[in-house]
Amino acid sequence: MTEPVRSNFQEQLNLLETTGPERISRLVDLILTDAVRRSASDVHFEPTHRSLEVRYRLDGVLHPVVSLSREWSPNIAARLKVLAELLTYRLDVPQEGRISDALGRFGVEMRVSTFPIIHGEKAVVRLFDTPGQVLDLENLGFSAEILTALREMLRERSGAIFLTGPSGSGKTTTIYACLRSLLETSQRGQQIVTIEDPVEQMIEGVSQSQARPGTEFDFARGLRSLLRQDPEVIMIGEVRDAETASIAIEAALTGHLVFTTLHAGSACGVVSRLLDMGVEPYLLTSGLKGILNQRLVRKLCTACKGQWALPGTDMVLANQTAGCEYCANTGYHGRLLLAELLPLEAEFRQAILAKADTATLERAVNEPGRQTIWSAAEQAVASGRTTQREIDRVLGPSGSPRQRVREDSNEK
């Protein structure tokens, strides 16, 4: 974070009393309140050999906020554990918990995760949107083409829709929006169940449950039990192992509409991972309806980007950003959704049945005119909504995999 933000926070910190048993409680409240005000998604408390570093994740990027005395680190970690009802005396194992009164105290839901490192315990507080701030499908930022195709898939009575992207790319937000859309269109006439870890948003009309990996109630066992609850729509928080993947595809083939996420580098990477998990190709081609790949990139700050725009256009000069008080001198404010929706067309199905590798799968879907996450990125840069530098940060160096596939094909 920029120096002015550091200074402002330091001024607030200096207002706290220098002594007193409630100092740590007030300090933690100050940090969490400030994080909510700045719309942070995560707050990191990381002890080092010299200090306790506090950082916020803003629009997907970590920014330093303040360096605190290292002596405060154990007490701050203990305070966060108390708020999340964790075991304060266990310093040697990771713990996770929810701050039960966070919505009332800070205005958002919060979860705490602690992890032992060589300098003490690192704590991360994740901040979730409140129920009144949830987004519908129309408001997520999908293109008209993807939104229409996704709504068509939501009308299906069976099949699996996989979402992929790194942590913090908005996958869960998209799935929740799909569930709310199904509730609305069916007028709550469908039985919708979920198994998640954790439950990030509570949706009235949906039967939600929280799996506990490492216990008897993991994703695979919970999913098998859910199938006996007469569901029509099933949401699985994440496919993490071969057993869960197999059950998810089985459910999609037996008259259930399944939504789930899986970490992969690309849409075609989802298929490769499922094949590696042992899912038979013919089951994939029969049960898989589509794969949604998405990323979030920072948007240029509307208050100051004009300082760097080419005259008479929306193009940003040399990918540079300015900076103002509105965007904390970063040049960016808010985030933009980039996405691609991959349906199972004939050539793609044949490649799956042949157990093709990811590069071959990419070539099978390389159709002229189809919107990809790279074409969406190019459009975002061309329209002046973000910069190439930001695209490279999120998607990697310039030159999309599909472009390289085309070049390889031309060389052959």
Side-chain angles (χ1 to χ4, degrees):
M1 192 171 290
T2 56
E3 189 61 35
V5 175
R6 282 178 177 269
S7 300
N8 292 340
F9 192 90
Q10 190 65 51
E11 291 174 4
Q12 299 179 57
L13 187 62
N14 293 338
L15 294 177
L16 292 176
E17 295 180 8
T18 56
T19 60
E22 296 182 357
R23 178 179 176 84
I24 296 298
S25 297
R26 292 198 298 271
L27 175 59
V28 170
D29 286 352
L30 172 63
I31 293 173
L32 296 182
T33 300
D34 184 67
V36 172
R37 183 176 65 84
R38 298 189 184 281
S39 300
S41 61
D42 302 85
V43 182
H44 289 240
F45 298 83
E46 183 171 357
T48 69
H49 68 292
R50 292 181 177 177
S51 62
L52 175 65
E53 297 296 324
V54 180
R55 296 186 292 173
Y56 296 165
R57 187 173 295 280
L58 301 172
D59 294 331
V61 177
L62 276 175
H63 297 273
V65 177
V66 69
S67 295
L68 301 175
S69 170
R70 191 180 187 284
E71 298 177 356
W72 294 354
S73 179
N75 292 332
I76 288 177
R79 175 58 183 168
L80 290 170
K81 287 180 178 180
V82 169
L83 290 174
E85 300 178 359
L86 303 177
L87 301 176
T88 57
Y89 61 87
R90 292 303 304 267
L91 311 179
D92 56 337
V93 295
Q95 297 187 66
E96 295 182 14
R98 173 175 166 269
I99 301 180
S100 57
D101 62 343
L103 188 59
R105 294 182 60 179
F106 304 105
V108 299
E109 296 284 354
M110 295 182 180
R111 288 187 64 85
V112 175
S113 170
T114 64
F115 194 88
I117 60 176
I118 59 173
H119 296 300
E121 280 189 290
K122 178 181 178 181
V124 176
V125 181
R126 170 151 287 191
L127 286 62
F128 297 102
D129 289 335
T130 58
Q133 295 174 319
V134 294
L135 298 174
D136 295 326
L137 275 177
E138 295 82 359
N139 306 122
L140 293 180
F142 287 118
S143 67
E145 176 188 343
I146 290 180
L147 187 59
T148 299
L150 186 56
R151 287 201 173 279
E152 286 296 324
M153 290 182 183
L154 294 181
R155 295 191 181 97
E156 299 284 349
R157 307 302 296 180
S158 63
I161 301 173
F162 277 78
L163 280 77
T164 191
S167 296
S169 59
K171 300 185 299 296
T172 304
T173 298
T174 298
I175 286 187
Y176 281 141
C178 289
L179 297 184
R180 287 193 297 273
S181 178
L182 287 169
L183 278 175
E184 181 180 351
T185 56
S186 69
Q187 297 182 341
R188 300 199 176 188
Q190 286 183 309
Q191 174 65 19
I192 303 176
V193 298
T194 76
I195 179 167
E196 311 169 57
D197 178 36
V199 175
E200 296 185 13
Q201 295 178 15
M202 287 176 282
I203 305 178
E204 188 70 28
V206 176
S207 298
Q208 297 173 268
S209 59
Q210 181 166 324
R212 302 186 183 279
T215 69
E216 294 184 358
F217 186 21
D218 57 14
F219 275 106
R221 180 165 182 172
L223 184 51
R224 287 193 184 279
S225 297
L226 280 182
L227 290 174
R228 294 190 280 271
Q229 291 285 309
D230 188 31
E232 294 165 278
V233 179
I234 301 172
M235 190 272 263
I236 308 165
E238 183 182 352
V239 169
R240 300 178 179 176
D241 53 62
E243 186 177 7
T244 305
S246 177
I247 301 171
I249 296 298
E250 176 187 332
L253 290 169
T254 54
H256 305 89
L257 185 60
V258 178
F259 293 90
T260 188
T261 68
L262 188 149
H263 286 284
S266 65
C268 290
V270 170
V271 173
S272 297
R273 281 208 61 194
L274 291 172
L275 291 173
D276 290 341
M277 287 179 175
V279 179
E280 292 294 335
Y282 71 91
L283 295 179
L284 274 183
T285 56
S286 301
L288 193 58
K289 290 296 180 184
I291 303 169
L292 181 63
N293 180 25
Q294 62 181 62
R295 301 289 191 277
L296 292 174
V297 298
R298 292 180 296 172
K299 293 191 297 185
L300 281 168
C301 174
T302 56
C304 61
K305 80 168 185 178
Q307 300 175 32
W308 296 94
L310 289 172
T313 75
D314 288 330
M315 297 290 289
V316 178
L317 181 61
N319 291 320
Q320 299 198 48
T321 54
C324 63
E325 184 177 355
Y326 179 65
C327 62
N329 288 336
T330 64
Y332 300 94
H333 185 78
R335 288 197 282 181
L336 173 72
L337 178 67
L338 304 178
E340 63 177 335
L341 183 60
L342 185 61
L344 266 69
E345 304 294 348
E347 188 175 351
F348 189 38
R349 290 176 183 273
Q350 291 301 316
I352 294 174
L353 290 171
K355 292 189 175 182
D357 59 19
T358 303
T360 304
L361 292 172
E362 293 280 2
R363 284 193 288 270
V365 299
N366 184 29
E367 300 176 359
R370 188 179 75 81
Q371 180 175 330
T372 68
I373 201 164
W374 286 93
S375 63
E378 291 167 0
Q379 293 168 12
V381 173
S383 62
R385 290 177 292 169
T386 190
T387 64
Q388 187 63 49
R389 181 188 302 161
E390 176 66 5
I391 296 299
D392 292 346
R393 183 188 70 83
V394 175
L395 295 182
S398 302
S400 74
R402 301 204 201 294
Q403 180 180 347
R404 292 194 291 270
V405 165
R406 289 195 295 269
E407 292 171 351
D408 292 342
S409 300
N410 292 334
E411 290 177 2
K412 294 178 181 179

